[in-house]
């Protein structure tokens, strides 16, 4: 009887070790969630357990533009792209508007311009404070751009976008409760314990409600807006998602590689 118990215990320990040693499967952490009657896709990852990267240009020097192009490039390396999402705003040539760091190389500098919009409307990127999402193999963070410039943390990947959604548990001061400015939106938050959550709405939402998704529902004290409208997209084969940008493609792209 003692032998049986020990055998069961050993088997349980071996099973637990096997489970924890399996490669992370990011797709299972993408879920459909509802907050204040709006539908979202929310994907969760732990730095150090998922191989999150940024992609912009391929070996030919041209922007990937499509999730399928990134997936093909990763496949040629003997890996698989299990998740992708738009990673910030970009210009007509698909280049990032602000800071872009890929594999430790700064390919675009920080953008501190005030910005100008047509008809007096200020583009979202320039609604201060905007911010920077950065990460390496073990940690992730989000800082308003001015704080990022003061601290200059050493990062492996970084993307600048704006506006900030949540700043130290406070919503961006420009957001209006009940605003009629509704569209699809995407963003990223760094939450309790350093967990990263990427979210995209499948319904039209305003900035105030989208920011509250991160602060009140996902428990992220800091969150950053990535893009809205026709520039929102997700790639997740297990969910049957391979969205396309109606701007002719994406600029910077987040991707999880296995």
């Amino acid at each position: 009887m003692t032998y049986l118990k020990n055998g069961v215990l050993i088997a349980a320990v071996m099973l637990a070790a096997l489970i924890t040693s399996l490669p992370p499967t990011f797709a299972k952490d993408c879920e459909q969630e509802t907050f204040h009657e709006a539908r979202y896709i929310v994907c969760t990852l732990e730095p150090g357990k998922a191989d999150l990267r940024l992609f912009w240009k391929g070996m030919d020097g041209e922007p990937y533009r499509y999730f399928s192009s990134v997936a093909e490039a990763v496949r040629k390396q003997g890996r698989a792209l299990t998740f992708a999402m738009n990673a910030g705003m970009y210009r007509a040539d698909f280049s990032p508007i602000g800071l872009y760091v890929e594999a430790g190389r700064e390919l675009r500098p920080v953008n501190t311009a005030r910005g100008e919009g047509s008809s007096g409307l200020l583009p979202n990127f320039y609604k201060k404070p905007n911010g920077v999402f950065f990460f390496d193999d073990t940690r992730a963070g989000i800082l308003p751009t001015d704080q990022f410039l003061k601290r200059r943390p050493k990062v492996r990947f970084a993307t600048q976008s704006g506006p900030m959604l949540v700043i130290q548990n406070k919503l961006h001061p420009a957001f209006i409760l009940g605003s009629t400015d509704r569209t699809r939106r995407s963003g990223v938050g760094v939450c309790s314990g350093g967990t990263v959550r990427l979210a995209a709405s499948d319904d039209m939402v305003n900035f105030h409600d989208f920011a509250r998704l991160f602060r009140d529902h996902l428990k992220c004290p800091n969150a950053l807006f990535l893009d809205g409208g026709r520039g929102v997209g997700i790639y997740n084969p297990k969910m049957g998602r391979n969205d396309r940008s109606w701007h002719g493609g994406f600029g910077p792209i987040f991707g999880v590689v296995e």
Side-chain angles (χ1 to χ4, degrees):
M1 191 69 175
T2 301
Y3 174 80
L4 179 60
K5 288 182 178 179
N6 289 342
V8 171
L9 178 60
I10 292 171
V13 170
M14 290 178 65
L15 178 61
L18 175 62
I19 292 173
T20 56
S21 66
L22 289 174
T25 303
F26 188 80
K28 73 179 181 182
D29 292 328
C30 288
E31 299 179 340
Q32 294 180 324
E33 300 193 26
T34 300
F35 178 70
H36 279 227
E37 300 183 352
R39 297 169 301 154
Y40 299 88
I41 300 294
V42 178
C43 300
T44 303
L45 68 90
E46 302 291 338
K49 296 182 180 180
D51 188 359
L52 177 66
R53 306 180 189 180
L54 278 168
F55 297 88
W56 172 25
K57 292 182 177 182
M59 295 296 291
D60 60 0
E62 294 298 319
Y64 284 109
R65 295 175 54 189
Y66 307 110
F67 297 140
S68 55
S69 299
V70 177
E72 177 62 16
V74 170
R75 186 193 65 78
K76 289 180 178 178
Q77 298 173 359
R79 308 289 294 278
L81 184 72
T82 59
F83 168 82
M85 184 173 173
N86 61 289
M89 298 173 194
Y90 47 95
R91 304 184 189 279
D93 63 356
F94 307 102
S95 63
I97 292 179
L99 176 70
Y100 181 84
V101 179
E102 182 179 321
R105 297 175 57 218
E106 183 178 302
L107 303 181
R108 283 290 185 272
V110 171
N111 185 337
T112 58
R114 299 178 67 89
E116 295 181 2
S118 60
S119 304
L121 296 176
L122 189 65
N124 288 325
F125 180 91
Y126 299 102
K127 293 176 180 176
K128 305 296 178 69
N130 57 20
V132 178
F133 171 61
F134 55 91
F135 58 98
D136 56 25
D137 294 333
T138 60
R139 68 188 177 100
I142 295 174
L143 287 171
T145 299
D146 59 346
Q147 292 185 29
F148 182 87
L149 287 171
K150 288 178 182 178
R151 301 186 189 184
R152 282 289 184 180
K154 188 175 181 179
V155 301
R156 187 165 177 235
F157 294 94
T159 181
Q160 183 186 9
S161 192
M164 290 285 292
L165 295 171
V166 187
I167 312 156
Q168 292 298 307
N169 277 315
K170 293 183 179 180
L171 303 190
H172 192 289
F175 297 166
I176 301 171
L177 177 66
S179 170
T180 58
D181 177 16
R182 295 179 175 272
T183 188
R184 291 186 64 217
R185 302 186 189 275
S186 61
V188 59
V190 176
C191 315
S192 57
T195 297
V196 174
R197 290 194 167 91
L198 294 145
S201 69
D202 276 335
D203 291 320
M204 308 293 190
V205 296
N206 62 33
F207 267 124
H208 192 277
D209 291 346
F210 191 50
R212 286 195 56 223
L213 168 80
F214 282 96
R215 186 190 68 178
D216 301 342
H217 183 64
L218 302 178
K219 308 304 180 185
C220 305
N222 293 286
L224 179 67
F225 181 64
L226 294 173
D227 210 342
R230 299 181 296 176
V232 175
I234 282 197
Y235 173 88
N236 187 322
K238 291 190 176 181
M239 299 182 79
R241 296 288 291 262
N242 184 13
D243 300 347
R244 295 175 74 90
S245 167
W246 292 100
H247 296 300
F250 296 104
I253 293 172
F254 287 121
V256 173
V257 177
E258 290 187 0

